[in-house]
Structure formats: C-alpha cells, structure tokens
C-alpha cells in the first residue's frame, strides 16, 4: 500500500479531502478561504434551501433517523412510495424505485438485468458506477467509441448473435465531459438488435428538458422503452438514487437487485428532502432558466477570450451545465487549479485515472451571479 501510494504521488495522481466549512452555495469557505464554487453538483441551488431542511427535519421528527432495515423488511415508509410515485410521474414512466445512492442503483440494476451469458455495450466514457456494474454482472463487456453510434452498430453486428440478452449502457450527460449521448440513435439500435438501453441521468435530472425531467426529455425520448437511472444527490440536493421504467422492471428489481434488497432503506430525512426538491424543480422552472442563462453567459465569455488568446481547442464540447478545459498533463492542470484558487475561484482539476486527459471541470449553478461567471472566465483566460 505504501509503495502504491508512492507511485500515485509520483504520477501526480494523489488526492485528498478538503473540508467545506459553510453551507452549500455559490460562495463557500474551503480550508479557511472564501471561494466561488464551481465544483458542486448542486445545479439548482437546492442543497441549502430552507424548504429541503424543513422537510428533512419534519421527516426526522415523524419517522426517526434511520429506516432500520431493508425496504423488504422493516425499512419501508409511506414517504418512499410518495417519492417513487413523484419520480415516475416526472419521468413519464410507469414506476420508479429509490436506492441508497445512484452508484448502488447502477450496480444493482445492471447486475440484475444481465449475467455471464449476456452482452453489455458501453460508451467509453461512462461513469465508474456503470463500468463497475458491468463488471459485477459477469456479462461480456464491449466498449464503443464515445458517442459513436456507428461504432456501436458495427460492434452489435459482430457480437449480438453470440449472446442471450444485450444491454446498452450510457450516461445521458457525460459527467466528466458535459456532452450528451446520441439517445435516439441508441434506442433505434436497441430495437434493431433486440437490446435494452440503460441511461444514467445523474447530471441531466433537474437540469435538462422542458420540465427538468432530464436528458431523455430534452432529446425527445420520453415514453420510449428504456431504463432510466439517476441520483437524488445532484440537482435534487439530497442523497440517494433511483431507477425509473416499466412496472415490470421495477417489480423485477425489487426481487432481484441485491444492492436494493440487502441494504437499509433510504433514511426518512433524505427521502423527504429529495421529494421537496423534486416539487421545487417542477414548480419553479425559473431556476432552470436561470441556470441556462448562466451556462450561456459563461460560454459567451469564453468565446470572447478566444480572440484574446484562450485556445479554443482546450474547451471540450458541452451541452450541459458541465464545462471542461483540457490541459496537457496533471502537473499543469494542478497548477492552473491552484492559481484559480489564489484568485478565489474553485474549479477542480480532474486527472487520470478518473479521466483520460487532465482537465479543469466547471459546474455552473443557478445561484452563480453574472459577476462570478465573468470572474471565472477572466481568470481562466489570463491564467499563465
Ligand atoms: C454522481 C454520479 C453517479 C452516482 O450517484 P450517487 O448518488 O452520488 O452515488 C452515477 N452516475 C453518474 C453519471 C454520476 O455522475
């Protein structure tokens, strides 16, 4: 372990925790310094919203702190059903199931749907929880080139026949890039090759789509047969994960998903906070509108600086609230992140092995002011 840690240091891949000592928001205190926060997944600014706190506190008083057991034994409360119904309505699916985290939702669902006789087709840049779920399932895993439905088509032609079931796995918004999957093409290929599609909406839910239902809605695919996974911990400001889909799927998962059956039900406070957040995300579309104004503002500011020396090749394509700037190596990206911090801006460096190339990853929130966005763009453009 010590020698492994030494190698990690040597490669400049070493990571450690930094405490935040204030409530969530666009301005936070980190290691004693106040910084503008571009590192948070709290897209709609709900994690610190008083209505979520009040809902969590009320649930805590009514139901206590722990749910005391598996959902199938002593861990099920009416509020779980209420949240699941609300998620299904929002996602326009027949049913939904709440897990203890998005990570566990992916592990349990993938491993329940496919096994050693089956095939998984996975986008190269999928989230770690999709990759690990795929490995856990024991299925044959084939990786297709990022967002490349032609490559997927070729691979399906070569591989599909040799296997029983086939599951296509993709992020809707790629978490470390910010671009979107070609969902309509994936669904067509799924029909052609008798395959299932699982789409991970962790960074789409609350952010994309006319009602904020996510990338599926944004890409015009609501109602199509697929498995939608997501988290309650990002735009919904709480903790937990979910799966939304057909009633048969959800019934099957309640009987087959180990990461749902053999773990304690989501705590009443987290469940209530997520439900309050969902209602706010639906009833206050102005939050989403404001988020997109901020995203557009940042893109315009960065474009402006492109004529003044910012290399456009550095900016990765994005259609979401995640924007990344690439750097040649982990040392440079760490230096850039440190210089930004010195200017009061927290935009984290993401390095291998999390991503193939080092980058600064920016998450835009509803609660950022135009000033804060301009400050970020200026700092990025003038960073030596
Ligand atoms: C964050 C994330 C998850 C995990 O969700 P948690 O609820 O935090 O466990 C899964 N998939 C993607 C794409 C994510 O970004």
């Amino acid at each position: 372990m010590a020698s492994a840690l030494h190698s990690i240091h040597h490669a400049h891949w070493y990571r450690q925790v930094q405490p935040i000592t204030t409530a969530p928001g666009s301005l936070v205190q980190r290691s004693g310094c106040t910084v503008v926060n571009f590192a948070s997944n709290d897209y709609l600014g709900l994690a610190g919203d008083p209505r979520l706190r009040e809902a969590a506190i009320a649930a805590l008083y009514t139901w206590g702190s722990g749910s005391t057991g598996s959902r199938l034994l002593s861990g099920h409360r009416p509020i779980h059903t209420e949240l699941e119904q609300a998620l299904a309505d929002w996602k326009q699916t027949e049913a939904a199931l709440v897990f203890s985290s998005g990570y566990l939702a992916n592990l349990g669902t993938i491993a329940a749907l496919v096994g050693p006789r089956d095939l998984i087709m996975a986008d190269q840049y999928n989230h770690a929880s999709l990759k690990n779920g795929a490995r856990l399932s024991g299925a044959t895993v084939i990786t297709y080139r990022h967002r490349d439905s032609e490559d997927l088509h070729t691979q399906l032609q070569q591989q599909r026949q040799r296997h029983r079931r086939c599951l296509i796995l993709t992020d809707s918004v790629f978490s470390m890039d910010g671009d979107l999957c070609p969902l309509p093409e994936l669904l067509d290929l799924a029909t052609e090759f008798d395959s299932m599609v699982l789409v991970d909406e962790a960074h789409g839910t609350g952010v994309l789509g006319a009602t904020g239902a996510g990338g599926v809605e944004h890409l015009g695919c609501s109602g199509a047969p697929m498995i939608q996974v997501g988290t309650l911990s990002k735009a919904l400001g709480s903790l937990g994960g979910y799966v939304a889909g057909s009633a048969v799927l959800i019934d099957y998962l309640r009987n087959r998903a180990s990461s749902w059956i053999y773990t304690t039900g989501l705590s009443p406070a987290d469940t209530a906070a997520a439900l309050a957040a969902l209602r706010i995300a639906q009833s206050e579309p102005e939050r989403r509108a404001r988020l997109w104004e901020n995203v557009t503002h940042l893109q315009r500011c960065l474009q402006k600086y492109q004529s003044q020396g910012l290399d456009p090749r550095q900016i990765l394509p994005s259609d979401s609230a995640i924007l990344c700037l690439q750097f040649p190596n982990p040392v440079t990206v760490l230096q850039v992140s440190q210089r930004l911090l010195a200017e009061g801006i927290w935009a984290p460096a993401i390095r291998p092995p999390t991503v193939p190339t080092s980058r600064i990853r920016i998450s835009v929130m509803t609660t950022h002011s135009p000033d804060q966005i301009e400050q970020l763009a200026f700092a990025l453009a003038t960073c030596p």
Side-chain angles (χ1 to χ4, degrees):
M1 286 180 273
S3 92
L5 279 168
H6 182 78
S7 307
I8 292 169
H9 271 293
H10 193 73
H12 300 277
W13 287 11
Y14 185 71
R15 300 181 275 194
Q16 57 194 332
V17 296
Q18 295 282 349
I20 306 287
T21 50
T22 49
S26 64
L27 221 49
V28 292
Q29 209 174 67
R30 181 177 178 267
S31 309
C33 299
T34 300
V35 290
V36 187
N37 180 10
F38 289 101
S40 170
N41 295 318
D42 185 20
Y43 297 111
L44 299 177
L46 293 177
D49 191 286
R51 291 167 289 180
L52 270 69
R53 295 181 198 209
E54 278 153 25
I57 291 166
L60 197 54
Y61 274 112
T62 310
W63 306 108
S65 52
S67 61
T68 78
S70 164
R71 288 279 299 282
L72 290 174
L73 296 171
S74 66
H76 181 62
R77 303 288 175 277
I79 194 164
H80 291 127
T81 307
E82 217 182 316
L83 176 58
E84 287 166 350
Q85 192 54 56
L87 280 163
D89 290 346
W90 199 20
K91 300 280 174 180
Q92 297 182 49
T93 60
E94 288 173 357
L97 189 64
V98 170
F99 286 69
S100 300
S101 76
Y103 197 110
L104 287 170
N106 275 331
L107 288 194
T109 304
I110 297 166
L113 289 174
V114 288
R117 294 162 62 195
D118 304 321
L119 178 65
I120 284 177
M121 289 290 178
D123 188 288
Q124 174 185 16
Y125 289 171
N126 276 348
H127 188 261
S129 55
L130 291 174
K131 291 184 177 165
N132 289 335
R135 284 170 64 182
L136 179 67
S137 75
T140 301
V141 183
I142 306 278
T143 303
Y144 60 89
R145 280 196 301 271
H146 182 48
R147 299 173 63 202
D148 189 340
S149 37
E150 256 171 52
D151 188 33
L152 173 59
H153 186 220
T154 310
Q155 306 270 14
L156 279 167
Q157 274 176 329
Q158 288 169 2
Q159 303 286 339
R160 177 64 187 100
Q161 284 180 340
R162 302 193 200 144
H163 302 270
R164 185 183 58 163
R165 299 178 192 153
C166 174
L167 176 64
I168 300 168
L169 294 181
T170 185
D171 286 17
S172 67
V173 176
F174 286 88
S175 60
M176 292 295 148
D177 301 82
D179 50 0
L180 307 184
C181 73
L183 191 58
E185 283 98 319
L186 300 185
L187 290 169
D188 285 348
L189 286 172
T191 308
E192 187 181 340
F193 289 92
D194 185 26
S195 303
M196 301 174 276
V197 173
L198 183 153
V199 59
D200 182 339
E201 287 270 50
H203 296 275
T205 302
V207 172
L208 287 168
T211 72
V216 171
E217 182 183 36
H218 174 75
L219 295 166
C221 301
S222 305
M226 79 188 103
I227 300 134
Q228 300 182 48
V229 181
T231 179
L232 309 172
S233 68
K234 287 171 180 152
L236 297 178
S238 179
L239 180 70
Y242 65 83
V243 177
S246 70
V248 171
L249 168 77
I250 299 306
D251 203 21
Y252 177 79
L253 291 178
R254 274 193 292 255
N255 288 278
R256 283 286 170 84
S258 290
S259 71
W260 185 82
I261 299 169
Y262 300 105
T263 196
T264 301
L266 192 64
S267 88
D270 289 320
T271 312
L275 181 59
L278 192 159
R279 305 266 190 240
I280 296 169
Q282 286 182 312
S283 64
E284 297 180 3
E286 60 273 19
R287 286 181 173 268
R288 203 155 35 253
R290 179 68 203 281
L291 171 64
W292 283 98
E293 279 168 27
N294 283 345
V295 170
T296 308
H297 189 46
L298 176 59
Q299 281 166 344
R300 294 229 173 94
C301 290
L302 289 175
Q303 268 162 24
K304 186 184 81 180
Y305 287 117
Q306 279 175 23
S307 56
Q308 300 167 32
L310 185 71
D311 186 350
R313 285 167 305 179
Q314 266 186 287
I315 303 171
L316 292 176
S318 162
D319 292 295
S320 68
I322 300 165
L323 209 99
C324 293
L325 268 76
Q326 265 185 310
F327 288 87
N329 57 63
V331 179
T332 314
V333 82
L334 280 178
Q335 282 168 351
V336 171
S337 184
Q338 285 302 321
R339 289 210 185 97
L340 292 172
L341 264 184
E343 304 198 22
I345 287 168
W346 183 21
I350 312 286
R351 291 165 284 164
T354 306
V355 286
T357 56
S358 297
R359 63 199 65 180
I360 294 286
R361 178 176 179 273
I362 297 150
S363 295
V364 179
M365 297 189 288
T366 295
T367 43
H368 285 129
S369 69
D371 268 5
Q372 289 171 331
I373 303 274
E374 285 154 31
Q375 208 184 325
L376 167 71
F378 180 77
L380 286 168
T382 54
C383 207

